[in-house]
Amino acid sequence: MLKLTDLHVNYGPIKALQGVSIDIEPNNITAIIGANGSGKSTMLSVISGLIIPDQGEIYYKDIAIHTKPVEERVKQGIAHVMEGRRLFKDQSVHDNLLLGFYFRNSKENKKNMLKQINEVYDRFPILGEKKSQLAGTLSGGQQQLLIISMAILSKPQLLLLDEPSLGLAPIVVDQVYQYLEELKAQGVTIIVSEQMAALAIRIADYGYVLERGKVVGKGDIHYLKSMMESDEMSSVYFG
Amino acid sequence: MSSLQFALELIFTGLCVGAVYSLIAHGFNITFWTTKVVNFGHGPFIMFCSMLVLSFLMKGLPWIVSIPLGFSIIILLGYILERFSIRPLLKYPTSMGWIVSTLGLGLFLQALASKIWGAQALAFPPFIFQATDYVSIFGIQLSAQYLLVLVMALVIMLLMEVIINKTIWGKAMKAVAFDPNFARVMGIKSKMVMTLSFMISALLAGVAGILIAPIYGTITPEFGMNIMVLGFVAAVLGGIGSSKGALFGGLMLGVIEKLVGGYISTSAEHGVAFLILIIILALKPDGFFGVKVVQKV
């Protein structure tokens, strides 16, 4: 589905990624676990195209995409939920959904725009109730649901989520995770970054551990659990 | 003429001229939204478009051809401005290079206009109405030309407001203004929207030039820069980035200017008007409708 080989990204003297190679299986949830500054966000931004790597290659469905602009990758089915709950906070909930839909769908699909936006309201009635309110007035959890809803309006095949649980109440994290599992059941491949390994392993099929821009561990759910219990892991996820 | 009538006429004239300042302020706002750049080349765009239209008219082309032709060229210049003096600089957001690059292109256009059309004032013919056409409303004589300017400026601003708030393209522009990277992830071509904003802004400059030129009667290569300063003041007074602010700031500036001109002296028009504005800004530094800068987390 997705293959990154030997990615390097430098921000001036700071080496954000130093030779990261990963392989993502389709229809899986892959967790990227690492502390602040380990390169998780950079990695996801490189996949979505917001950051162009200094070195390395990205293959999406066996096609090289590392030189393509964001807008083109979006059309090929990659959706990115960025860190820090990014929304058009000065526009209404409904307008945010319109913007999430309109520019990433074909002319044919646009005929069903309102139907598909109404499906979001059916899935999360609270968004329907608040559809004419400014997105910035929603609670943190509601914002996160709106953001993920916007991301999936393009019917992505690959969904990237950058710390979706950050700053959310546990009950809302459950709601978000439950939704991710639903999406996986619908055939979406998901990559989710988390600082808290304990959270990530609740939904992940596979995981990579990042430290200072390098992959320092990888494996399936059993590996991740065993790592969590060992001392090695605690050094990673406490920074 | 009664004193009330005199005051009303001054206010009316002020509103008409002010509406053009509002249009100019709108031009500033549009590019400010998308790129956070204040385009100091805006003034010479105003001048250049009216110069172009005038030279087409003098070649014997009718209004109906000259104006679209002038607008097309000015839109193209807007594209060039964004592509070559703005976009390369946006990679360095902390750089103040855009002040030099926008002002530089503006001054270049001004010099080019002097070279092509000479530095002296050229007569600009009245548009649709004659300078002597008057409409009488509530016993006050209103110049038809002024009235036309007021109505057209207001219609254009209303149209812009509708486009920005009600169409998906307007919403996309607001989206780019709010968070260009997030907009890109939503499939919006942020860079294209930025370029487009400069083209629309250039068109607004052109419209402002065509509206104000018949009122001034003559145009010079410098007139754009002079009137741009007034449009800039209108934008700052209303609160830069605010549409309501641009409208209010422009109209207010126009009225103050004309009242000062009528009751004190026309040569004091700008001086006293600016003094009042400095006082207002000292009391309200963000302008009347200042947009609060949103902290992006």
Side-chain angles (χ1 to χ4, degrees):
Chain A
M1 182 79 179
L2 184 79
K3 196 174 159 73
L4 312 182
T5 54
D6 195 30
L7 284 178
H8 289 260
V9 173
N10 304 318
Y11 302 127
I14 300 156
K15 294 184 166 71
L17 292 183
Q18 315 182 47
V20 168
S21 299
I22 66 168
D23 223 324
I24 306 284
E25 294 292 324
N27 207 7
N28 254 353
I29 297 183
T30 306
I32 309 294
I33 301 158
N36 245 339
S38 59
K40 303 185 303 291
S41 296
T42 304
M43 197 180 102
L44 295 183
S45 297
V46 165
I47 299 171
S48 70
L50 283 172
I51 295 172
I52 301 296
D54 294 299
Q55 193 190 317
E57 286 158 351
I58 306 168
Y59 292 91
Y60 171 64
K61 294 197 237 168
D62 294 326
I63 299 164
I65 58 163
H66 45 272
T67 54
K68 299 211 165 122
V70 180
E71 297 84 355
E72 209 167 307
R73 296 188 206 188
V74 160
K75 284 213 174 97
Q76 288 170 1
I78 300 177
H80 185 184
V81 172
M82 289 187 276
E83 66 178 328
R85 251 170 261 148
R86 306 274 273 267
L87 269 176
F88 304 121
K89 291 183 182 152
D90 60 343
Q91 301 198 50
S92 71
V93 169
H94 190 71
D95 285 351
N96 270 274
L97 289 168
L98 286 179
L99 287 165
F101 187 94
Y102 193 85
F103 296 94
R104 297 182 296 172
N105 277 280
S106 65
K107 275 213 177 83
E108 199 51 40
N109 283 348
K110 278 175 195 162
K111 288 177 193 152
N112 298 321
M113 179 160 77
L114 288 179
K115 183 172 160 265
Q116 290 183 42
I117 288 176
N118 281 330
E119 279 170 19
V120 172
Y121 295 147
D122 290 343
R123 178 66 185 73
F124 302 114
I126 186 74
L127 296 180
E129 280 166 38
K130 300 194 168 182
K131 68 183 200 180
S132 46
Q133 281 188 28
L134 293 183
T137 64
L138 299 181
S139 73
Q142 291 159 3
Q143 288 188 9
Q144 194 61 277
L145 295 178
L146 174 59
I147 293 165
I148 298 174
S149 302
M150 284 166 77
I152 63 126
L153 276 174
S154 65
K155 300 251 174 298
Q157 290 153 297
L158 176 63
L159 178 61
L160 316 168
L161 297 115
D162 202 348
E163 301 200 39
S165 65
L166 195 68
L168 296 184
I171 188 158
V172 187
V173 175
D174 290 345
Q175 210 179 349
V176 169
Y177 276 15
Q178 191 198 334
Y179 189 44
L180 294 185
E181 273 169 352
E182 243 174 71
L183 291 172
K184 179 192 160 189
Q186 290 165 23
V188 182
T189 306
I190 297 170
I191 305 178
V192 51
S193 83
E194 283 290 356
Q195 278 189 50
M196 298 294 183
L199 282 176
I201 60 171
R202 279 171 44 193
I203 50 165
D205 299 302
Y206 203 85
Y208 286 86
V209 182
L210 274 188
E211 202 179 278
R212 292 189 197 92
K214 283 182 181 150
V215 175
V216 293
K218 61 178 174 181
D220 60 12
I221 185 80
H222 304 294
Y223 163 81
L224 292 174
K225 277 188 178 145
S226 69
M227 267 198 83
M228 248 193 77
E229 285 149 15
S230 72
D231 289 347
E232 206 182 334
M233 188 67 193
S234 61
S235 83
V236 173
Y237 82 105
F238 291 115
Chain B
M1 194 193 290
S2 74
S3 63
L4 177 68
Q5 220 174 340
F6 180 61
L8 283 176
E9 281 192 26
L10 286 175
I11 290 172
F12 166 74
T13 318
L15 287 176
C16 297
V17 177
V20 178
Y21 299 159
S22 298
L23 261 187
I24 298 168
H26 258 85
F28 275 119
N29 278 346
I30 287 173
T31 51
F32 180 77
W33 288 337
T34 57
T35 58
K36 303 288 170 283
V37 161
V38 177
N39 172 17
F40 287 113
H42 200 65
F45 273 70
I46 298 170
M47 172 277 302
F48 209 77
C49 188
S50 46
M51 284 287 191
L52 281 169
V53 170
L54 179 61
S55 67
F56 294 144
L57 288 172
M58 290 197 296
K59 288 219 159 55
L61 293 172
W63 283 102
I64 193 102
V65 180
S66 303
I67 289 183
L69 214 54
F71 284 170
S72 313
I73 295 172
I74 211 72
I75 289 171
L76 182 70
L77 282 174
Y79 171 79
I80 293 171
L81 171 75
E82 196 276 341
R83 204 63 200 75
F84 297 103
S85 5
I86 306 289
R87 192 178 293 184
L89 293 163
L90 290 179
K91 286 182 195 136
Y92 312 98
T94 51
S95 142
M96 287 280 139
W98 53 265
I99 298 180
V100 178
S101 67
T102 57
L103 195 60
L105 191 87
L107 290 171
F108 171 75
L109 275 183
Q110 200 168 308
L112 187 68
S114 305
K115 183 82 191 136
I116 301 174
W117 296 291
Q120 77 284 16
L122 298 171
F124 198 93
F127 177 57
I128 300 182
F129 299 107
Q130 291 306 310
T132 49
D133 286 346
Y134 280 92
V135 181
S136 200
I137 298 175
F138 307 122
I140 340 167
Q141 296 256 297
L142 306 179
S143 151
Q145 188 78 61
Y146 274 69
L147 201 59
L148 178 75
V149 167
L150 179 64
V151 170
M152 284 185 67
L154 292 179
V155 166
I156 288 164
M157 279 183 272
L158 187 71
L159 204 67
M160 291 255 320
E161 199 62 5
V162 171
I163 289 171
I164 285 167
N165 289 310
K166 301 288 175 206
T167 70
I168 191 76
W169 298 102
K171 291 179 211 283
M173 196 164 143
K174 270 167 81 177
V176 172
F178 192 80
D179 187 340
N181 269 343
F182 182 47
R184 290 181 75 195
V185 168
M186 290 292 120
I188 301 167
K189 294 191 168 95
S190 289
K191 282 180 184 158
M192 197 180 89
V193 171
M194 287 177 189
T195 310
L196 218 55
S197 73
F198 273 84
M199 291 161 80
I200 296 170
S201 174
L203 176 63
L204 283 183
V207 172
I210 301 300
L211 289 179
I212 200 82
I215 286 186
Y216 279 16
T218 58
I219 52 176
T220 63
E222 290 84 35
F223 104 93
M225 215 50 132
N226 298 339
I227 192 177
M228 175 189 87
V229 174
L230 298 168
F232 181 64
V233 170
V236 173
L237 183 66
I240 195 143
S242 156
S243 304
K244 250 187 281 174
L247 179 64
F248 181 77
L251 295 178
M252 186 168 156
L253 178 62
V255 171
I256 292 176
E257 216 184 74
K258 290 301 160 197
L259 287 176
V260 170
Y263 288 109
I264 303 170
S265 148
T266 43
S267 57
E269 249 181 31
H270 290 168
V272 176
F274 275 95
L275 191 67
I276 293 169
L277 296 175
I278 290 168
I279 294 167
I280 292 171
L281 281 180
L283 299 173
K284 257 188 120 33
D286 286 331
F288 283 96
F289 299 93
V291 183
K292 289 266 181 307
V293 175
V294 181
Q295 186 92 38
K296 279 173 200 162
V297 187

